[in-house]
Amino acid sequence: SRPLDIRLNGERSSIWIFGYGSLVWKPDFKYKRSKIGYIKGYKRRFWHGDDFYRGDKEKPGRVVTLVEDDEVGVAYEVADSHVEESLQYLNMRETVMGGYVTEMVEFIPREKGQAKLLALVYIATSDNPIYLGPAPATEIAAQIAMCRGNVGHNMEYLVRLAEFMRLYCPEVEDDHLFSIEAAALALVL
């Protein structure tokens, strides 16, 4: 399938892509610059299944998606010369292999005095066949602790996301993320 072309009026220009899961620490596409900030109306939750990257068909891993509330992440500006290549890569990574859909959102940079941006975001919805939905933190942690996929252990995904939040967004209290991390680390240490 063709990646979504979100350029304004068909004109060639750069685009912004908002990441809130593995994209915050492993974008794996060419981008011009990045900004840390948030989008209103969503919050990150470990409610999406992953049967390729961080799990398999028998033991799907858990990765994050967005549900309604506010969320912090990174927006990447992709230069015009890399838009098509980046969207093709992300279409495969997030949509074909990950089951996510795309939406355009308003991104608010954390740095004061920066203008709001329109950014593309990938979201897994509850009608996706590998959407796992809510569960207690201990149950999510146990699932994460035992799952591995084609790019690595599900624990790496969890720990790197928590490290990103502590390093770049220390003022954000993400109880969902940090309670799952604590419960998962207690199981493996």
Side-chain angles (χ1 to χ4, degrees):
S1 64
R2 268 182 66 102
L4 176 68
D5 190 347
I6 50 102
R7 297 178 210 193
L8 299 174
N9 303 322
E11 292 180 20
R12 296 178 59 88
S13 63
S14 64
I15 62 165
W16 285 88
I17 296 169
F18 179 72
Y20 57 90
S22 61
L23 287 181
V24 303
W25 52 269
K26 188 181 180 181
D28 279 351
F29 59 88
K30 294 176 185 165
Y31 60 93
K32 191 171 162 180
R33 60 186 167 145
S34 65
K35 294 183 180 197
I36 294 172
Y38 66 97
I39 59 175
K40 289 189 173 203
Y42 298 94
K43 63 184 172 186
R44 174 181 27 239
R45 289 292 179 260
F46 274 89
W47 292 356
H48 190 53
D50 183 332
D51 60 7
F52 184 78
Y53 294 108
R54 299 292 172 175
D56 57 35
K57 298 282 185 210
E58 289 76 41
K59 287 193 237 171
R62 277 198 180 249
V63 293
V64 292
T65 187
L66 296 178
V67 296
E68 292 188 6
D69 206 343
D70 292 354
E71 192 49 68
V72 174
V74 179
Y76 298 94
E77 182 181 14
V78 179
D80 174 61
S81 58
H82 297 293
V83 167
E84 189 171 339
E85 169 190 351
S86 296
L87 288 177
Q88 284 177 350
Y89 167 74
L90 287 167
N91 184 55
M92 180 57 69
R93 173 177 165 170
E94 304 294 333
T95 306
V96 175
M97 301 304 295
Y100 290 76
V101 297
T102 55
E103 284 190 26
M104 294 303 294
V105 295
E106 184 178 83
F107 172 79
I108 303 158
R110 185 175 64 178
E111 194 176 318
K112 299 292 181 228
Q114 297 282 311
K116 295 176 183 177
L117 310 165
L118 197 58
L120 179 69
V121 67
Y122 293 83
I123 300 173
T125 60
S126 59
D127 58 357
N128 185 308
I130 56 175
Y131 184 83
L132 300 174
T138 52
E139 188 179 310
I140 293 172
Q143 188 171 358
I144 288 172
M146 66 180 208
C147 290
R148 169 180 289 283
N150 290 308
V151 298
H153 203 286
N154 207 173
M155 282 294 294
E156 177 192 25
Y157 180 99
L158 171 63
V159 170
R160 285 186 181 251
L161 183 54
E163 285 173 352
F164 169 84
M165 290 302 292
R166 282 192 190 93
L167 185 61
Y168 294 103
C169 308
E171 73 285 359
V172 176
E173 295 177 26
D174 191 333
D175 294 335
H176 177 78
L177 173 63
F178 296 131
S179 65
I180 292 168
E181 180 197 33
L185 289 173
L187 291 172
V188 298
L189 296 180

